[in-house]
Amino acid sequence: MPSNDLRERVEPLEETLAPPAPVPVKRRASRRPGVWLLVALGLLLLLASTIVLPQLRLVGEAFTDDGGFSFANFIEFFTTPRFQEAILNSLVVAVVAGVLACAVAVPAAYVLAQFDLPGRNGFLTLATMATVSPPFLGAYAWVLLLGRGGILTTQLRAWGIELPFDTIIGPGGIVWVTVWATQALVFLLAYDAFRAIDPSLDEASSSVGAGPWRTRLRIVLPMAVPALVTGFYMSSMKIFTDFGTPLIIGGGTPMLPTAVYYEFLSEVSTNPAIASAGSLVMLGVACIALALQQWALRRRTYASVSSRRRPLQPVRGVKKGLMIAYLGVVFGLSFVPHLVVVGTSLLTWKAGILKWIPTFDNYVRLFDENLEVILMSLLLAGIACVLCVIVAVLVAYLTVRRRYSVISPALNVITMVPYIIPGTVLAIGLILAFGSGPLILTGTATILVLAYFIRRIPYVTKSIEAALTQVHPALEEAAMSVGAKPMRAFRQITVPLVRPAIVSGGTVGFLQMVTELSATVMLYSVPFITMTVVIFTNAMQPASPFGVASAMTVVLMLAVYIPLYFVRRKFASVTSV
Amino acid sequence: MERGNGVAVGVEAISKEFPGHVALKGVDLEIEARSFTTLLGPSGCGKTTLLRILAGFETATSGRVTFDGRDIARMPSWKRNIGFVFQNYALWPHMSIRDNIAYGLKLRKLGKEQIAERVTESLRMVGLDGRAEAFPGQLSGGQQQRVAIARALALRPNVLLLDEPLSNLDAKMRIGMRQELLRLQREVGITAVYVTHDQEEALEMSDQVAVMHDGRIDQVGSPQAIYETPETAFVASFIGHVTLLGGVSDGAGGFRSDLPIAGALPAFDGALPTGRAQLVLRPEDLDLVDDVEHAHLRGTLVRSSYHGRGYRSALRLADGTLCEVDHRRPVAAAPGEEAGIRVGAAALVPESDDYYREAAPEAESADDLVAAPAA
């Protein structure tokens, strides 16, 4: 019997004839109800009551007037000039700043992805750092620099140079600050997309006679469109939901998050129902934006067939100089705020006026007066982070491995809901749900932990889910075949295998939690005060101790960048996206 | 190591339904203690599902699974005392080879010394002594599979379940491992159930082969019985390369072929069908002759090629069937000319359209063409 014939006959069949049905068979775990089903039900209860319930309370509040169902709140919201202006401002600023961020970041990403330039890793590190820097940092620093009595404004005036504007405060300031704060997000996405394009596509294009610019516009740019769409979506939504920046640098420009905040919390004439209606409008915009992004991405994901690395083109002379200069300007402007706070934290302030005298007084005062705040911030974010990781691991496992028919998809959807909930909206929902009734959490540290947990759960879950799909189910079955119960197999086999994702996902989650402002500012109460709140309140008051606020910002930056450094050193690619 | 703790395995009327798909349709199988049984069939036939039900990774929709007569259908896999060897080895990459093997022993609360002893013993058995401190990623595919087998055997399980364990190895290694696996199984005296789609593997290694097809077992028997006296057209066509010729069988050894056969055929073995039947002709049981007058069948030579041990030729018979013949001597006939076939041995199976097709995707597209005008 000629053996080769036989094998040739059978093997291709495995590939060509394999019916689709047996594939899920292999991945599905045993259907025996057990401890996992209980875990799933417990998680569903927890997530439904902390994520879904507050949003339902918000919807209820928004549609209730005089104790009955009504659209009155929405009618009032849309007919009040102050809110009309806020909607318009928020949309225009988000779109304009999003477009500008793309315009700034995409060429930068392209030259770094295409050409052999020095300092590549440096720029990539800066970009990653920029994506996790505190959201209000830019506004705070640029006001210090270019506000009416700003450091640079005063200095330039002293030298007889007149700026074209009186102060950076205003809608233009919001755009300026958010462009530099969000460009890094677009930059990283675009860089990865440009690097992933199969080099033979360019070669094919030039082989049929296309010049380099034609190839760039007709081949490379279209291939990167999905990443650009996502980048634009993420940066503009970040700008749209940003709370700290418009309040610090907006100079009273009404924007949606701030308008809703004042409507809900200001000392005069609060109206929770109108604020709820406004929240739902924000949520609606977020949903539409997500739908638009998904629509734009449809049929636009190109699978790259080649694993050949894209070669970096050599470049010399003036061209090289211009490219580096451009990258330098983009990242220089993005990191002006960081330099400003470091600098001002080491200088003397008197009644809100900067004196050019170096000092460590700010740090001494900071640790004397505000050590508790620093520790509180780290503690709250730390607890929320641990919770988040635990729940994320369980949810990811339940959705990837144990596909319970209704519970698993439900868990998956609920964990993704916070992805589109702006911080302000989340906070209002939590106050409505837990400010009265059987479980009162307002005024406690728990509500802050809860808010941090909810805001980051989608991201942490997704990163662990991605890692989990790489772990073959047979590894866990092997453990059960040698006698391990399901929980033990999960703990001793699966969890250690996704540890890199747990560590990096958890760290990035921690960074975002420790810098969270928009929900914190609505939910905090004495003595549970965070660094972000202190810096924010300082930034809002003239003649406040800016030196101490800057010193605290430096501490906050360290709390972010030190963990980031260690995680990045251990796991090559970590981004907040 | 203790000898012969293998148990007898019984499968009774096992069915397994997945949403929108029935994987097993009432399967019965008796497996003797300490025997080597192979579940053989094409992909999608249900063989892996049956193995996973034996392991407890899947629960059967209905039916019983017994180990030495004890019903274990509801027993979870971690209590069954089985060893499972996976197609992709499934070694835990974050543990050393020692820890991989010791993991199950620790769960059984064995003493430290006893664990160390068993790890060493198992590694020696598979010829990997001295590699205990390596990690799975540092071993070759063949070595990893040996570790996987050692991990399963270290627990002295009652049943060893193997899911296409050799299919990820290169051809040469695969053939060497067959004998090694068999030696280990005999040495330990364990009951082995082995899933494969490679009929050569099944024939070489097994005491008993169960040929599976579309969620059912078509035939159970010794390799010889499966090969020489297939009971269905599917079994005949899946094991080896065959030509099937339709006709009528009288159930007592007589067969009237639709295509005239000159002279008497050799006697058939085993249970014979009555009524419509198919004659199973294997290339190695046929011979090609130039003397067309004294041949059983005649056909037009389509191609002939030399394979080292002999020639394989294909002939187009009068009804259009392509018949393959192995022969030692070259033939005088050139392609396009007539040649004769002598039948040395043959089998009879009940007639069925349900045989193993190589060209199934093409057949599907042909169906599409037929169906298109109607839609």
Side-chain angles (χ1 to χ4, degrees):
Chain A
M1 190 165 39
S3 62
N4 287 339
D5 276 19
L6 293 175
R7 196 163 295 108
E8 274 162 25
R9 252 186 95 190
V10 173
E11 281 199 339
L13 198 93
E14 286 288 304
E15 288 155 38
T16 52
L17 276 188
V23 180
V25 170
K26 285 207 164 181
R27 301 191 56 92
R28 197 184 309 271
S30 128
R31 294 235 149 212
R32 193 174 296 105
V35 66
W36 272 112
L37 190 59
L38 293 177
V39 171
L41 287 169
L43 281 175
L44 197 59
L45 193 69
L46 173 77
L47 296 178
S49 59
T50 54
I51 297 174
V52 179
L53 183 78
Q55 297 306 307
L56 291 180
R57 286 284 290 115
L58 192 69
V59 174
E61 185 78 20
F63 284 103
T64 307
D65 192 42
D66 286 338
F69 177 85
S70 147
F71 286 106
N73 298 317
F74 287 92
I75 293 166
E76 193 181 335
F77 185 83
F78 281 113
T79 50
T80 308
R82 161 169 58 109
F83 291 127
Q84 289 169 338
E85 218 182 313
I87 295 172
L88 193 67
N89 285 341
S90 275
L91 289 177
V92 170
V93 165
V95 170
V96 169
V99 167
L100 289 176
C102 287
V104 165
V106 172
Y110 180 77
V111 297
L112 199 65
Q114 184 75 4
F115 298 102
D116 188 14
L117 296 174
R120 160 179 324 282
N121 287 329
F123 285 119
L124 290 173
T125 306
L126 284 180
T128 311
M129 283 169 69
T131 56
V132 292
S133 58
F136 51 84
L137 170 64
Y140 169 67
W142 283 106
V143 170
L144 281 185
L145 214 52
L146 286 174
R148 198 173 306 273
I151 303 163
L152 207 57
T153 327
T154 332
Q155 201 60 53
L156 289 176
R157 204 170 291 134
W159 290 334
I161 303 167
E162 272 307 312
L163 284 170
F165 51 84
D166 190 25
T167 168
I168 195 170
I169 286 175
I174 303 176
V175 171
W176 174 258
V177 165
T178 49
V179 165
W180 298 115
T182 58
Q183 65 84 15
L185 207 60
V186 186
F187 175 88
L188 284 178
L189 284 165
Y191 177 83
D192 283 344
F194 286 134
R195 289 298 298 155
I197 295 171
D198 185 343
S200 28
L201 292 176
D202 306 33
E203 289 156 11
S205 168
S206 60
S207 78
V208 297
W213 274 103
R214 198 181 175 81
T215 301
R216 262 164 225 159
L217 290 177
R218 288 303 188 74
I219 307 291
V220 176
L221 200 60
M223 291 289 286
V225 160
L228 302 188
V229 167
T230 306
F232 172 72
Y233 162 76
M234 292 186 70
S235 60
S236 58
M237 280 322 289
K238 203 168 170 176
I239 295 160
F240 178 75
T241 57
D242 194 355
F243 168 81
T245 305
L247 218 54
I248 295 172
I249 208 169
T253 313
M255 301 277 280
L256 261 181
T258 51
V260 167
Y261 167 79
Y262 281 129
E263 195 62 22
F264 195 78
L265 274 192
S266 85
E267 273 109 51
V268 283
S269 75
T270 61
N271 189 337
I274 302 281
S276 300
S279 297
L280 285 189
V281 172
M282 278 177 78
L283 206 51
V285 172
C287 287
I288 292 167
L290 179 65
L292 282 176
Q293 184 234 4
Q294 297 292 323
W295 173 79
L297 285 187
R298 233 171 8 134
R299 290 193 298 272
R300 282 243 176 84
T301 36
Y302 309 110
S304 186
V305 279
S306 153
S307 57
R308 188 150 67 99
R309 280 177 66 86
R310 204 174 166 79
L312 293 164
Q313 289 174 14
V315 61
R316 245 180 280 154
V318 183
K319 265 174 102 178
K320 183 177 184 178
L322 283 175
M323 286 175 190
I324 296 174
Y326 181 66
L327 284 165
V329 169
V330 169
F331 283 98
L333 284 169
S334 296
F335 278 86
V336 161
H338 301 66
L339 299 176
V340 169
V341 290
V342 172
T344 52
S345 74
L346 293 167
L347 293 172
T348 311
W349 293 79
K350 282 227 168 75
I353 309 292
L354 181 72
K355 307 284 173 200
W356 293 86
I357 309 161
T359 176
F360 282 111
D361 276 359
N362 298 318
Y363 286 95
V364 175
R365 263 186 77 188
L366 173 70
F367 288 112
D368 271 356
E369 296 167 10
N370 288 312
L371 187 61
E372 279 163 40
V373 174
I374 297 171
L375 296 178
M376 182 60 68
S377 284
L378 299 177
L379 183 70
L380 292 175
I383 295 172
C385 177
V386 171
L387 265 179
C388 202
V389 165
I390 293 173
V391 172
V393 169
L394 295 175
V395 169
Y397 183 78
L398 285 164
T399 46
V400 174
R401 258 329 125 61
R402 313 246 149 193
R403 307 210 195 130
Y404 295 117
S405 50
V406 179
I407 304 169
S408 291
L411 277 173
N412 194 21
V413 169
I414 294 177
T415 40
M416 285 318 287
V417 164
Y419 182 71
I420 54 158
I421 302 179
T424 315
V425 177
L426 177 77
I428 293 178
L430 286 176
I431 294 171
L432 290 174
F434 300 114
S436 60
L439 184 61
I440 294 182
L441 294 177
T442 42
T444 67
T446 313
I447 201 161
L448 285 173
V449 170
L450 195 58
Y452 297 164
F453 163 79
I454 294 171
R455 289 214 73 181
R456 298 320 301 178
I457 192 77
Y459 302 90
V460 183
T461 309
K462 275 293 155 212
S463 73
I464 293 172
E465 225 176 79
L468 205 54
T469 51
Q470 301 296 309
V471 178
H472 200 282
L475 291 173
E476 208 167 290
E477 286 170 354
M480 287 194 247
S481 77
V482 300
K485 288 184 186 170
M487 261 304 171
R488 180 188 285 273
F490 171 73
R491 234 178 38 238
Q492 295 183 334
I493 305 295
T494 308
V495 170
L497 288 173
V498 295
R499 187 167 290 147
I502 293 178
V503 173
S504 59
T507 307
V508 173
F510 174 81
L511 311 183
Q512 311 274 8
M513 289 170 182
V514 89
T515 55
E516 211 287 343
L517 175 70
S518 52
T520 311
V521 82
M522 298 190 80
L523 295 171
Y524 83 96
S525 51
V526 186
F528 311 111
I529 304 171
T530 67
M531 288 192 266
T532 52
V533 171
V534 172
I535 299 165
F536 172 73
T537 18
N538 271 314
M540 293 296 292
Q541 289 159 0
S544 61
F546 288 122
V548 181
S550 291
M552 188 176 277
T553 313
V554 172
V555 171
L556 183 59
M557 274 161 36
L558 291 179
V560 168
Y561 293 136
I562 291 173
L564 184 71
Y565 169 76
F566 281 109
V567 177
R568 259 179 75 88
R569 210 175 58 163
K570 211 161 170 203
F571 311 106
S573 67
V574 172
T575 57
S576 64
V577 217
Chain B
M1 187 167 276
E2 300 158 27
R3 300 277 149 165
N5 53 348
V7 295
V9 177
V11 171
E12 295 166 33
I14 286 286
S15 291
K16 177 67 182 177
E17 284 174 30
F18 293 110
H21 169 69
V22 181
L24 293 173
K25 303 167 181 169
V27 170
D28 293 287
L29 183 63
E30 292 276 326
I31 296 171
E32 259 181 62
R34 293 174 291 283
S35 69
F36 197 109
T37 296
T38 299
L39 306 177
L40 174 67
S43 77
C45 72
K47 59 188 191 296
T48 295
T49 306
L50 180 56
L51 192 77
R52 290 171 60 81
I53 287 172
L54 292 182
F57 298 150
E58 309 278 355
T59 312
T61 313
S62 63
R64 267 159 52 93
V65 178
T66 60
F67 282 5
D68 269 347
R70 226 156 33 96
D71 188 357
I72 53 144
R74 302 270 140 217
M75 187 189 276
S77 55
W78 56 93
K79 289 183 183 162
R80 288 190 182 192
N81 199 27
I82 51 156
F84 200 101
V85 179
F86 294 84
Q87 184 172 9
N88 61 358
Y89 324 135
L91 296 182
W92 302 305
H94 59 303
M95 295 184 188
S96 68
I97 300 309
R98 175 187 304 286
D99 291 340
N100 261 278
I101 297 174
Y103 184 76
L105 298 169
K106 284 179 191 156
L107 291 177
R108 280 167 177 66
K109 304 259 184 310
L110 263 63
K112 260 209 175 93
E113 281 164 30
Q114 214 179 348
I115 290 177
E117 212 171 277
R118 286 246 207 136
V119 170
T120 317
E121 181 189 270
S122 315
L123 281 176
R124 194 183 310 122
M125 251 170 38
V126 297
L128 279 175
D129 1 13
R131 299 308 306 271
E133 305 315 323
F135 278 78
Q138 298 167 316
L139 302 184
S140 71
Q143 288 174 325
Q144 289 189 44
Q145 193 56 288
R146 280 160 210 257
V147 174
I149 294 165
R151 178 176 69 183
L153 289 180
L155 298 167
R156 299 179 184 170
N158 299 124
V159 187
L160 183 63
L161 305 169
L162 305 109
D163 184 11
E164 310 211 19
L166 306 184
S167 64
N168 278 359
L169 303 179
D170 63 56
K172 216 166 196 167
M173 176 104 62
R174 198 160 13 178
I175 291 167
M177 279 294 280
R178 285 180 196 164
Q179 285 310 315
E180 190 163 337
L181 245 177
L182 209 54
R183 172 183 65 77
L184 281 171
Q185 185 259 338
R186 301 289 188 227
E187 209 172 286
V188 181
I190 193 174
T191 312
V193 183
Y194 187 96
V195 158
T196 185
H197 63 260
D198 182 336
Q199 63 273 51
E200 226 191 304
E201 236 170 65
L203 295 178
E204 184 179 332
M205 299 173 76
S206 317
D207 298 315
Q208 172 177 260
V209 178
V211 183
M212 293 189 65
H213 168 221
D214 193 23
R216 291 192 181 86
I217 293 183
D218 262 30
Q219 185 175 355
V220 185
S222 68
Q224 291 82 352
I226 295 284
Y227 190 82
E228 285 162 18
T229 53
E231 287 169 10
T232 68
F234 180 83
V235 172
S237 54
F238 189 72
I239 316 263
H241 220 125
V242 295
T243 305
L244 297 172
L245 292 179
V248 178
S249 162
D250 62 9
F255 177 71
R256 194 160 43 78
S257 174
D258 297 347
L259 189 72
I261 294 179
L265 288 169
F268 304 112
D269 282 338
L272 296 178
T274 311
R276 289 295 300 171
Q278 277 166 313
L279 187 67
V280 179
L281 299 173
R282 296 189 185 279
E284 63 271 27
D285 294 334
L286 306 177
D287 199 10
L288 199 63
V289 290
D290 289 317
D291 179 6
V292 179
E293 296 310 313
H294 289 93
H296 286 112
L297 288 157
R298 57 178 69 185
T300 314
L301 188 65
V302 176
R303 59 172 182 264
S304 187
S305 53
Y306 180 62
H307 283 290
R309 279 181 291 176
Y311 298 83
R312 170 162 290 190
S313 301
L315 285 89
R316 181 80 61 196
L317 304 182
D319 65 350
T321 311
L322 202 63
C323 180
E324 297 208 311
V325 180
D326 285 349
H327 51 106
R328 296 296 301 269
R329 289 181 305 267
V331 275
E337 293 176 3
E338 202 171 47
I341 298 168
R342 287 197 61 83
V343 178
L348 271 186
V349 295
E351 188 171 72
S352 158
D353 283 342
D354 208 5
Y355 56 88
Y356 183 69
R357 293 174 184 85
E358 268 178 277
E362 281 162 32
E364 271 168 34
S365 59
D367 283 350
D368 288 348
L369 287 176
V370 176

